Amino acid sequence: TTKKQKPKPDALDLKLARRALEFLLKNQTKTGLWRYPGPGDEEDLSNSQYVMLALWAAERLGLDVPKAVYERAALR
């Protein structure tokens, strides 16, 4: 049985993914979730769900997602 090789992202894709990851890491709230930008302090669970999927995708690209990010989100 032959395994299909996963396509490797090019340099531009990785650069964009790193920028997106930095944004997500920077915008995790003190309670561990994410929210819409702008006034207000309430986190949005659907935003947080999409962020978790994005973090997983970043890891699949080989980017480092700190374990503490997941831990803060899980403690919520």
Side-chain angles (χ1 to χ4, degrees), residues 8-71:
K8 292 186 180 184
D10 65 23
L12 179 60
D13 289 337
L14 283 174
K15 181 179 177 181
L16 291 172
R18 279 190 195 97
R19 283 183 48 203
L21 177 59
E22 288 171 11
F23 175 84
L24 295 175
L25 296 178
K26 178 182 167 190
N27 286 286
Q28 186 177 27
T29 66
K30 291 177 184 174
T31 63
L33 299 180
W34 289 263
R35 64 183 187 88
Y36 286 104
D41 294 330
E42 291 188 34
E43 294 88 1
D44 184 279
L45 293 178
S46 63
N47 279 359
S48 298
Q49 181 180 13
Y50 281 114
V51 170
M52 297 303 284
L53 290 170
L55 297 177
W56 174 65
E59 286 192 354
R60 290 188 65 201
L61 289 172
L63 302 180
D64 182 43
V65 178
K67 184 178 177 184
V69 173
Y70 292 112
E71 290 172 345

